[in-house]
Amino acid sequence: MNSLFASQPTTVFETMSALARAHDAVNLGQGFPDDPGPLDVREKAAEAVLNGWNQYPPMMGAPELRRAVAAHYRDWQGLDLDPEAEVMITSGATEAIAGALLALIEPGDEVVLFQPLYDAYLPLVLRAGGVPRLVRLVPPHWSLTEEALAQAFSPRTRLVLFNNPHNPTGRVFGREELERLARFCTRSDAVLVSDEVWEHVIFDGREHLSVLALPGMRERAVKIGSAGKIFGMTGWKVGFVCAAPALMRALSKAHQFLTFTTPPALQHAVAYGLAKERGWFLSTRAGLQRSRDRLAAGLASIGFNVLPSAGTYFLNVDLAPLHPAPRGGDPRDEAFCRTLVERFGVAAIPVSAFYAEEAVDTVIRFCFAKADSTLDRAVERLEAVSRTAFV
Ligand code: GLN
């Protein structure tokens, strides 16, 4: 067996969802919406399963979807992508990330990553033979500073695995930080792989800035998107990879031996969905923003220190002011989350699970992509926490 995978624990999302089921808890842990997703997009998929072609679609993706991805990013992000040479469809963003690492690094190459990091990143980098260099982001601002980047980058940096908007922090990195990162990539001659799956889940009038639009990055960046996140149907696993032709040639070789292709009916429905009118995307954002505000207000009213969330399905609370005393043993946030789910019936995710070293252990993540009634039920249950001598 491969020791890296054989020794991996079950993911924190799976663990917390199982605990939520066992304790009949409100599950604000794993990030998925209550809502079943847009009916017209689901109907397109159903229709395509019944009446359409269910054999292998082209390896690079259905041509109509590749064209729809290029058109969508032209309209929304001002990108100029050739659907034939610069867009590929994968079975979800996780496949795209795994494929990018397999295709773009050689064993021993240094890879820069940002903590807190999405749980799949580090094992995939290590399995591909990469040597991780971690940039540590800390609350409440989670900023990408010149000093932190300077410590992680070296002339041996070959790839950077970045995520914006950022899960779990809910940060949206703006132009200044992105250009700073781009300068470091150019200086080290590194490829920037950017997981932008939350690009449409941004709030307060923000606009997504893709790394492909940054000066000097068009030829050295890989942009990864996800229909599952855009349409709030996380089980669909339809991802998009966009990169200049030279990079795409290598990326497509990894994809052809990982999954080769992605269910055609879903590709057909996603092509339809990406062309939906602007208003649909904006009202979906507005709905999620209302949910964010509802949960934030509820948590603040019962004494939690809520950190800002500019994007994603997530907001974080910093426990430090509420429960200043360390518990000893398990990381503080993990112990807190376990008690929350077992005694108070609410599941959340401890953010220390997203650190490989020097974990911040006072922050916990809640998913707000839920019905008002679900959020209200969670807040009601959590009210008891602030009245309990907890630690
Ligand atoms: N992206 C989801 C989250 O952050 C989890 C996906 C998974 O369970 N692997 O909650």
Side-chain angles (χ1 to χ4, degrees):
M1 282 187 283
N2 176 265
S3 55
L4 177 76
F5 282 111
S7 65
Q8 284 292 317
T10 306
T11 83
V12 66
F13 308 115
E14 203 53 46
T15 306
M16 288 312 300
S17 284
L19 280 172
R21 282 190 295 274
H23 295 278
D24 200 20
V26 182
N27 190 356
L28 304 188
Q30 195 175 32
F32 60 91
D34 270 354
D35 189 89
L39 182 61
D40 55 346
V41 178
R42 287 185 287 135
E43 276 171 350
K44 282 281 173 209
E47 210 174 274
V49 167
L50 290 177
N51 306 316
W53 175 253
N54 287 292
Q55 309 305 340
Y56 300 126
M59 185 269 278
M60 293 296 285
E64 56 171 328
L65 178 53
R66 297 167 76 199
R67 285 194 297 270
V69 168
H72 186 83
Y73 287 144
R74 182 195 59 224
D75 295 348
W76 282 89
Q77 296 172 20
L79 301 176
D80 178 20
L81 293 162
D82 173 359
E84 297 284 316
E86 299 185 309
V87 179
M88 178 172 75
I89 309 307
T90 56
S91 294
T94 304
E95 187 220 304
I97 293 164
L101 293 166
L102 292 174
L104 302 179
I105 59 174
E106 296 275 19
D109 285 349
E110 290 188 6
V111 177
V112 170
L113 299 144
F114 302 83
Q115 308 190 91
L117 39 72
Y118 187 60
D119 67 342
Y121 290 179
L122 192 58
L124 291 174
V125 166
L126 292 169
R127 191 67 180 100
V131 177
R133 293 282 178 247
L134 298 168
V135 176
R136 183 170 179 269
L137 307 179
V138 292
H141 302 301
W142 315 101
S143 317
L144 221 51
T145 63
E146 187 80 22
E147 298 69 39
L149 292 174
Q151 273 179 19
F153 276 79
S154 87
R156 290 176 304 281
T157 309
R158 289 283 73 84
L159 188 140
V160 178
L161 182 48
F162 186 57
N163 174 216
N164 189 37
H166 187 259
N167 177 12
T169 64
R171 262 227 66 193
V172 172
F173 297 99
R175 181 173 291 279
E176 196 184 326
E177 284 166 298
L178 293 177
E179 288 187 354
R180 179 176 298 144
L181 178 61
R183 276 195 301 279
F184 275 92
C185 292
T186 311
R187 227 178 285 155
S188 291
D189 195 20
V191 175
L192 176 54
V193 176
S194 184
D195 168 352
E196 302 182 5
V197 299
W198 301 103
E199 59 201 342
H200 268 294
V201 190
I202 52 175
F203 309 125
D204 310 310
R206 287 182 176 79
E207 287 192 22
H208 180 72
L209 176 58
S210 174
V211 295
L212 281 179
L214 297 173
M217 296 312 282
R218 187 64 177 77
E219 305 298 315
R220 65 165 69 252
V222 177
K223 168 183 171 63
I224 295 173
S226 162
K229 302 296 192 283
I230 294 177
F231 299 106
M233 298 190 285
T234 56
W236 271 31
K237 307 298 285 185
V238 178
F240 333 123
V241 184
C242 304
L247 287 168
M248 187 57 84
R249 276 191 288 278
L251 294 167
S252 66
K253 299 298 159 35
H255 167 68
Q256 75 178 348
F257 297 133
L258 275 172
T259 60
F260 179 67
T261 190
T262 298
L266 298 184
Q267 294 199 47
H268 176 75
V270 170
Y272 161 84
L274 288 175
K276 274 166 91 70
E277 50 171 27
R278 231 181 146 73
W280 181 83
F281 295 91
L282 297 178
S283 67
T284 302
R285 273 181 207 183
L288 284 163
Q289 183 172 321
R290 275 195 300 277
S291 301
R292 175 200 65 176
D293 293 344
R294 190 180 190 93
L295 182 62
L299 291 172
S301 75
I302 56 176
F304 282 99
N305 177 26
V306 180
L307 301 177
S309 162
T312 76
Y313 292 160
F314 311 113
L315 64 76
N316 292 287
V317 302
D318 196 337
L319 300 173
L322 190 62
H323 294 295
R327 269 175 79 102
D330 287 346
R332 199 172 357 166
D333 58 342
E334 223 177 276
F336 190 87
C337 284
R338 193 165 277 278
T339 309
L340 272 196
V341 68
E342 288 171 357
R343 281 184 30 208
F344 298 91
V346 178
I349 301 286
V351 166
S352 65
F354 297 83
Y355 285 83
E357 57 192 35
E358 288 183 85
V360 168
D361 76 346
T362 59
V363 178
I364 66 175
R365 191 195 81 172
F366 291 98
C367 172
F368 54 74
K370 304 289 173 187
D372 286 353
S373 55
T374 309
L375 298 175
D376 293 350
R377 205 162 62 246
V379 171
E380 245 165 62
R381 292 181 179 193
L382 289 171
E383 225 175 326
V385 179
S386 43
R387 286 189 264 104
T388 310
F390 190 79
V391 280

